[in-house]
Amino acid sequence: MRLVISGICLATALLAGFAGAATSNHSVEELMQDLGDTMLRMLPAAYSEAPDRTLLLENLVRLEYLLNQAEPHFEKSAPGSQVTLSLLKERLAEAKTYGTSGNPTMLQSTISEAFVLCATCHVQDRVTRRAFDARKISKLDDYLAVEYQFLTRDYASAISSSLNYFKQGERSASRDSIVLQRTLTIGVEVQRDLTFARQQLQALIPYLNKDNYNRARVVDWIALLERLQDDKDQLGMPLGNSLQSLDRYLSEEWSDARTELSFSQQEAYWVAIRGELNRHLKASSNKRNLPKIYYWMAVTDRELQYRFHGSLSRAYLETCITEFPGHPYAVRCLDEYEVIVLISFSGSSGTHVPPEVNKRIGELRKLIAAEQ
């Protein structure tokens, strides 16, 4: 079911971008509203003690229909958006199968994890969208309100709801972690405003106990943001620069720079890098840049331990390889793909990669070998 939610946030984010560019296009606005209503129907079911699988699947079918209706709006979009649409269609096709099987008792935890993936779905443009009627979320609890507003790109309201959640919400360590990640993502990745991000995170510290792991994380995030603003050590050099500069820094200098940072500080840094990659993805008019962007997106997800982003990594890497097998970065994408497979299928009893996954790796290797 995580693919269901990921599909919703992808479609919502992409369509929101078009609505911003052409607000007079009522068909796009209607699609956005319908997507928002679909998400509202799914959120409570996804988090209930007894998830309604039928309701979730019915709304997945609705989502597929809306995406087909939206497809013409992507014809003149940037290459990055076109590839994202292709990935989305593949994910939705897989979601239909995924949603009809599996242990129903695992639905709640699986869908909860899905929201961590949704930060990857945004075509970041630093703009708050209020395309959906805020009155409709009155029945959601504070945590789900943050999620809904974040997924529908109402960032200003999501920040406000985050504070409400910490003041009066039904809290847990896992929910605290996700709300804090949303706050960091909005300030650093979406708004690209380090001062704003620091202020919002500092406002939440009083609600975290001194011996709380999440508090230590936030303190480290703030320290990293201060370091980026001071930038005496040029950690912020890749931010706001060209894709070539970003690629060169991560390939040649980051391995030394990271030794001076704690894990949580590295987390905040990779969130900033993710924002840069989204910026390059949106702005790129040269398809030859896409393999490089997709490779670093997948690396970013791994460095963040898939807590901010997630399941699209394999899709990004497969697209890098299948669409650009002759590109120099195709080999690096395959290497990263194999790393993700090892992580995905490793456990206490060892690594057990399914035969079909090994077969897919072999197909990708042959594809590259034929073009290199």
Side-chain angles (χ1 to χ4, degrees):
M1 300 311 297
R2 68 180 62 191
L3 295 172
V4 177
I5 303 297
S6 292
I8 291 176
C9 68
L10 262 171
T12 303
L14 289 168
L15 286 175
F18 285 108
T23 54
S24 61
N25 191 332
H26 297 294
S27 62
V28 173
E29 292 175 352
E30 290 167 359
L31 287 170
M32 288 175 63
Q33 189 63 60
D34 208 336
L35 283 163
D37 290 343
T38 301
M39 186 182 298
L40 270 178
R41 286 191 294 271
M42 296 183 76
L43 277 175
Y47 278 92
S48 70
E49 291 295 331
D52 187 336
R53 188 185 296 274
T54 300
L55 182 149
L56 291 170
L57 290 176
E58 285 176 353
N59 282 282
L60 172 59
V61 172
R62 179 63 183 172
L63 179 61
E64 286 188 307
Y65 167 77
L66 293 171
L67 184 61
N68 288 332
Q69 294 295 306
E71 190 164 4
H73 297 288
F74 290 84
E75 292 177 354
K76 295 182 180 180
S77 62
S81 294
Q82 293 173 13
V83 174
T84 303
L85 174 64
S86 177
L87 292 176
L88 172 56
K89 293 179 72 174
E90 292 174 9
R91 300 282 74 73
L92 292 180
E94 185 177 352
K96 287 187 69 176
T97 302
Y98 181 78
T100 57
S101 61
N103 186 346
T105 63
M106 296 298 291
L107 275 176
Q108 184 174 16
S109 61
T110 304
I111 294 176
S112 296
E113 293 170 1
F115 288 103
V116 184
L117 312 179
C118 288
T120 196
C121 304
H122 294 274
V123 181
Q124 312 290 9
D125 62 358
R126 305 175 70 184
V127 176
T128 284
R129 308 287 183 186
R130 285 193 175 86
F132 306 100
D133 189 345
R135 292 172 296 180
K136 292 185 177 181
I137 70 169
S138 59
K139 294 183 179 180
L140 298 180
D141 64 30
D142 293 301
Y143 174 71
L144 291 184
V146 174
E147 288 299 278
Y148 181 78
Q149 289 157 345
F150 180 80
L151 298 179
T152 57
R153 307 174 84 199
D154 186 356
Y155 300 125
S157 295
I159 289 292
S160 178
S161 293
S162 295
L163 185 58
N164 290 338
Y165 164 79
F166 278 101
K167 285 182 176 179
Q168 59 195 30
E170 184 178 334
R171 292 174 55 185
S172 68
S174 60
R175 285 189 168 196
D176 286 2
S177 179
I178 291 174
V179 173
L180 291 169
Q181 288 167 189
R182 296 292 186 244
T183 303
L184 180 67
T185 297
I186 291 171
V188 174
E189 184 176 345
V190 179
Q191 303 291 355
R192 301 205 300 277
D193 187 336
L194 302 185
T195 299
F196 173 80
R198 283 173 51 199
Q199 291 172 342
Q200 299 308 314
L201 291 169
Q202 286 169 336
L204 300 179
I205 286 181
Y207 302 98
L208 300 168
N209 295 329
K210 290 185 178 180
D211 58 350
N212 187 293
Y213 166 71
N214 281 319
R215 182 189 179 100
R217 245 177 123 196
V218 171
V219 169
D220 273 0
W221 290 350
I222 292 172
L224 185 279
L225 299 182
E226 291 173 344
R227 191 165 173 174
L228 286 177
Q229 287 186 299
D230 179 58
D231 206 26
K232 290 180 180 177
D233 47 15
Q234 295 189 317
L235 267 177
M237 187 275 292
L239 308 181
N241 268 317
S242 66
L243 177 61
Q244 289 70 27
S245 295
L246 177 62
D247 175 53
R248 183 172 58 252
Y249 182 84
L250 294 177
S251 297
E252 300 174 6
E253 301 180 43
W254 170 243
S255 59
D256 290 331
R258 72 186 306 166
T259 60
E260 300 180 9
L261 303 176
S262 70
F263 173 78
S264 294
Q265 288 174 328
Q266 291 181 44
E267 237 182 4
Y269 190 77
W270 280 108
V271 171
I273 293 299
R274 182 77 191 196
E276 288 299 295
L277 291 169
N278 273 303
R279 179 174 66 85
H280 290 302
L281 179 63
K282 182 181 179 184
S284 178
S285 58
N286 183 355
K287 286 190 175 183
R288 293 288 294 175
N289 287 331
L290 293 178
K292 195 174 295 185
I293 296 172
Y294 287 138
Y295 169 75
W296 285 117
M297 279 184 160
V299 171
T300 301
D301 288 349
R302 173 166 54 79
E303 291 285 350
L304 290 168
Q305 298 189 344
Y306 309 100
R307 287 190 286 187
F308 289 76
H309 315 286
S311 69
L312 290 178
S313 293
R314 281 175 63 177
Y316 286 145
L317 295 170
E318 285 206 31
T319 301
C320 167
I321 297 165
T322 58
E323 296 294 323
F324 308 93
H327 194 283
Y329 264 70
V331 174
R332 296 182 75 172
C333 285
L334 179 59
D335 290 342
E336 183 66 23
Y337 187 92
E338 291 181 325
V339 169
I340 290 176
V341 167
L342 287 175
I343 293 173
S344 300
F345 297 103
S346 293
S348 58
S349 61
T351 301
H352 306 283
V353 180
E356 61 271 19
V357 177
N358 275 323
K359 179 182 178 183
R360 181 56 174 162
I361 291 175
E363 293 170 349
L364 296 174
R365 283 177 182 156
K366 289 179 182 179
L367 192 59
I368 291 176
E371 297 291 333
Q372 293 284 329

